[in-house]
Amino acid sequence: MHLFLWGVLPYLAAVLLVAGTVWRYRYDKFGWTTRSSQIYESRLLNIASPAFHYGILFVLVGHLMGLFVPASWTEGVGLDEHAYHLFSLFGGTAAGALAVAGIAVLIYRRRTNTPVFRATTRNDKLMYAVLLAAIIMGMWAKLAHSTLSKGYDYRETIAPWSRSLFTLQPKVSLMEGVPLTFQIHAVIGLLLFALVPFTRLIHMFSAPVQYLFRPYVVYRSRGAGPRRERRGWERVDP
């Protein structure tokens, strides 16, 4: 089981992530969307959606920094271990709390608004459950093994194990002494990666780059006289 969790499961999750994304792009392009329900309710959505997206973005940046930036690099720029620990403790907790608060309001909105609730699929419910479990377990693991002076240094165990996956030589032995809460958090995170192609989270791989270069949308007000042509406008014959 130890070998499966830390030497096999990460690659299974990666295969599902890549293969599922390719399959979704080829055979479900019209389903490649956030399935927005803003048309049914926008007041709570305008609060919860930014909170969740900003929170999860900061959580992602923190994980990338903690797992793939060696301690020698951060120390080289003047960020010692204690300063990094405080930054990770307070910054990570704040980001996680913001994301959880956003998800909580989104779930409340879906449960209390009938049209939004009817538009909720089983995949949505599974996505919310796994996403919440991953964030809450990560916060629990961090807070349960941290004080203001020190905390569990995952950059000596989990981080090297994560980087070893990319060399196809996973150092599973590094995960033997890792606290159980961190291990559970890692397993849920891998399951979340595997679920991404089959949920609305797939939209994270979309970037509306074409919006930067498309022509302006022409609005014509009442009583407006002739306008000077501008860059990006297209002539419309009467």
Side-chain angles (χ1 to χ4, degrees):
M1 180 59 68
H2 184 78
L3 178 62
F4 172 77
L5 289 178
W6 314 121
V8 178
L9 183 60
Y11 296 109
L12 289 179
V15 169
L16 284 174
L17 176 63
V18 175
T21 301
V22 173
W23 173 85
R24 187 82 181 267
Y25 182 78
R26 292 191 60 182
Y27 299 106
D28 190 29
K29 287 185 178 180
F30 290 105
W32 189 300
T33 171
T34 60
R35 298 180 61 250
S36 175
S37 57
Q38 186 175 6
I39 190 174
Y40 302 125
E41 196 280 336
S42 61
R43 183 177 62 86
L44 290 177
L45 184 64
N46 290 336
I47 299 174
S49 182
F52 164 70
H53 283 90
Y54 281 116
I56 202 67
L57 179 61
F58 292 139
V59 168
L60 178 61
V61 171
H63 277 70
L64 292 176
M65 180 178 177
L67 295 178
F68 300 108
V69 177
S72 58
W73 291 18
T74 55
E75 292 175 357
V77 297
L79 189 65
D80 60 22
E81 179 59 32
H82 180 64
Y84 176 86
H85 166 67
L86 293 178
F87 177 78
S88 174
L89 177 62
F90 290 104
T93 302
L98 183 62
V100 169
I103 296 176
V105 177
L106 288 173
I107 294 176
Y108 170 81
R109 171 180 173 271
R110 287 191 171 275
R111 192 64 187 87
T112 57
N113 188 289
T114 302
V116 179
F117 182 71
R118 289 178 178 175
T120 304
T121 65
R122 295 179 180 177
N123 278 357
D124 293 334
K125 298 175 182 178
L126 178 62
M127 175 200 70
Y128 279 123
V130 177
L131 194 56
L132 265 178
I135 299 174
I136 292 176
M137 183 55 67
M139 295 172 61
W140 183 7
K142 184 64 179 181
L143 295 175
H145 297 87
S146 296
T147 63
L148 290 179
S149 59
K150 63 179 180 179
Y152 177 72
D153 191 1
Y154 54 84
R155 294 200 293 175
E156 293 183 354
T157 54
I158 303 177
W161 164 76
S162 300
R163 295 193 292 268
S164 71
L165 296 174
F166 292 91
T167 64
L168 302 182
Q169 295 179 341
K171 300 178 180 179
V172 297
S173 60
L174 292 173
M175 298 296 292
E176 292 180 357
V178 173
L180 180 61
T181 50
F182 280 97
Q183 293 184 353
I184 296 176
H185 172 59
V187 171
I188 297 176
L190 292 173
L191 294 179
L192 182 61
F193 285 143
L195 284 175
V196 164
F198 312 103
T199 65
R200 66 175 63 201
L201 292 176
I202 190 69
H203 78 275
M204 71 172 65
F205 297 123
S206 299
V209 179
Q210 67 273 18
Y211 279 25
L212 300 175
F213 307 101
R214 69 176 184 176
Y216 301 115
V217 177
V218 179
Y219 290 93
R220 183 173 299 173
S221 61
R222 293 181 180 179
R227 296 176 177 267
R228 181 173 58 87
E229 291 186 8
R230 297 181 180 178
R231 176 180 174 271
W233 288 47
E234 296 181 0
R235 181 185 297 278
V236 179
D237 294 330

